[in-house]
Amino acid sequence: MMHPATYIDQLDPSIFPFIQYADYPDRYPTHTVQAFPASFYEEMRTASAGLFRVFCKAAEVLQRAPNDFARAMDMPREILPYLHTVNAFHLPTWLSRFDFVLDEAQQLHMVEINADTPCFVIESFYANGVAAAYNGRRDPNAGAEAQLRGFLTEVHNRLSSPLADLGRRALTRRPFVFSAFDDYPEDLGTTLYLMRLMQEGVPHGDIRFLSFYDLAIDAHGIPLDDNAYASALYRLHPMEILVDERTEDDAPLGTMFLDLYRAGSFAMMNPPEAILLQNKSFMALVYALACTGQLLTPEECALVERYLTPSYFEDDFDALRDGTYIRKEIWGREGKNVRLVEKRGGREEMVYERQPDSPEEIICRASKKAMYQDFVRQPCFTHTVDSGSLTGCLTLSCFMLFGAPSAVGARFSPEEIAGTEAFFVPLVIA
């Protein structure tokens, strides 16, 4: 099919290999861009940085709490022994993404965090700039790719710099391995993009890709083809899935893998503690801490009240006022099984259940619990895709590199609850 010339034609498919999904009639990027004032992007970054500090505080609370508390939040029993291992940067997540929606007054409300395996990296750090330049607009992410390269260089230098063997007058290589399932274009593309940026930042480093299908472990760690061992692993595979995986002969692969990590055989990005923030009930914990004034400063409580969509544990739902809520499974991803519910006279009635396209292809842990958030009624936007104009809602994102806010991005969906069908829409400065 012939399409009108747009910035999409300027995107490098070797960097962005999922511009077109085979079974979708429209390409993934919208033809049009979305403009907001520079102050809007600054607000999103400031809010994300402040929330990140609050979330780190709350993670410490959860780490210090009895295991029963974590289990009540549907945290996998198998992961609990590994949540106290000190990592190189003393943060529960190093690369994360905060997601926001707008209300009808154009106010930001944070609704999700992907702290474990955030995607949408190529779109925000690379493609957004291509679109802005093509359209002669200012890019809110100017300099963000260089910031990401510097972040990855710092990660490498802390975890995988060669060690000097003075006795042999030689350097011991310490390979940094990037890994994902190589038959899923988005995961593979994201992983290779991050690997390329690290290679650019550390041109003499031993930085390589290994498919998760080929990843193995032995008594010493993660063996590689040339008899070396990985010193660090970037894994684009959810920790809540990995922890339960078993070998063909039913040995506990996930536990064996994490035992090697805890023993210091290799470092991991993101660290296992990211699962604390990935658990959707974590937002309910943060909201409860802010409401009670425990642990957080008055300024932090005000920040949470302003930006974090009111979030509640499932066990507290009966005590909530009547109204409209979003029900999310603890380990849900890509909008799978998200419900819009009405609470009336103490009874819950389902209004709508979100089922993304091809839900069977979404890899996520089965959830035993759910959490609830206030429903935010969103404004409508119109964007052009290959098949014409669509009206829908925006999900806005801000990446965090350690504690520093970085690239912003946007997805556009005809549904108020975005899923796998959402489009990438570039952001520009108004």
Side-chain angles (χ1 to χ4, degrees), residues 153-166:
T153 300
E154 184 176 356
V155 169
H156 175 276
N157 290 345
R158 182 75 64 89
L159 302 180
S160 292
S161 287
L163 294 177
D165 185 334
L166 298 179

Side-chain angles (χ1 to χ4, degrees), residues 168-182:
R168 293 190 302 157
R169 295 186 179 181
L171 291 176
T172 300
R173 290 182 302 117
R174 296 201 296 161
F176 196 113
V177 172
F178 283 78
S179 189
F181 290 110
D182 57 6

Side-chain angles (χ1 to χ4, degrees), residues 178-255:
F178 283 78
S179 189
F181 290 110
D182 57 6
D183 55 357
Y184 186 51
E186 183 179 6
D187 283 9
L188 178 62
T190 300
T191 302
L192 294 179
Y193 175 69
L194 291 170
M195 183 179 76
R196 179 176 64 79
L197 288 181
M198 182 181 282
Q199 288 171 331
E200 290 172 0
V202 192
H204 303 296
D206 186 344
I207 302 161
R208 53 179 100 171
F209 176 81
L210 181 65
S211 170
F212 229 95
Y213 290 116
D214 300 324
L215 194 73
I217 57 172
D218 64 18
H220 305 291
I222 301 172
L224 304 174
D225 288 344
D226 54 358
N227 298 318
Y229 280 83
S231 64
L233 175 72
Y234 168 85
R235 47 151 190 100
L236 191 45
H237 185 47
M239 180 54 63
E240 71 266 20
I241 301 293
L242 175 62
V243 69
D244 279 343
E245 290 185 329
R246 307 186 76 82
T247 64
E248 291 182 357
D249 55 1
D250 204 35
L253 176 65
T255 300

Side-chain angles (χ1 to χ4, degrees), residues 33 42 49 66 90 125 145 192 204 220 244 259-260 298 318 320 407 409:
V33 299
E42 182 60 30
H90 302 278
F125 286 90
E145 190 177 62
L192 294 179
H204 303 296
H220 305 291
D244 279 343
D259 279 342
L260 288 164
D318 288 344
L320 298 181

Side-chain angles (χ1 to χ4, degrees), residues 348-365:
E348 176 185 335
E349 296 182 5
M350 187 176 75
V351 176
Y352 168 73
E353 182 170 26
R354 180 79 175 92
Q355 281 297 351
D357 298 333
S358 305
E360 70 282 352
E361 296 181 7
I362 298 173
I363 300 173
C364 61
R365 181 184 180 86

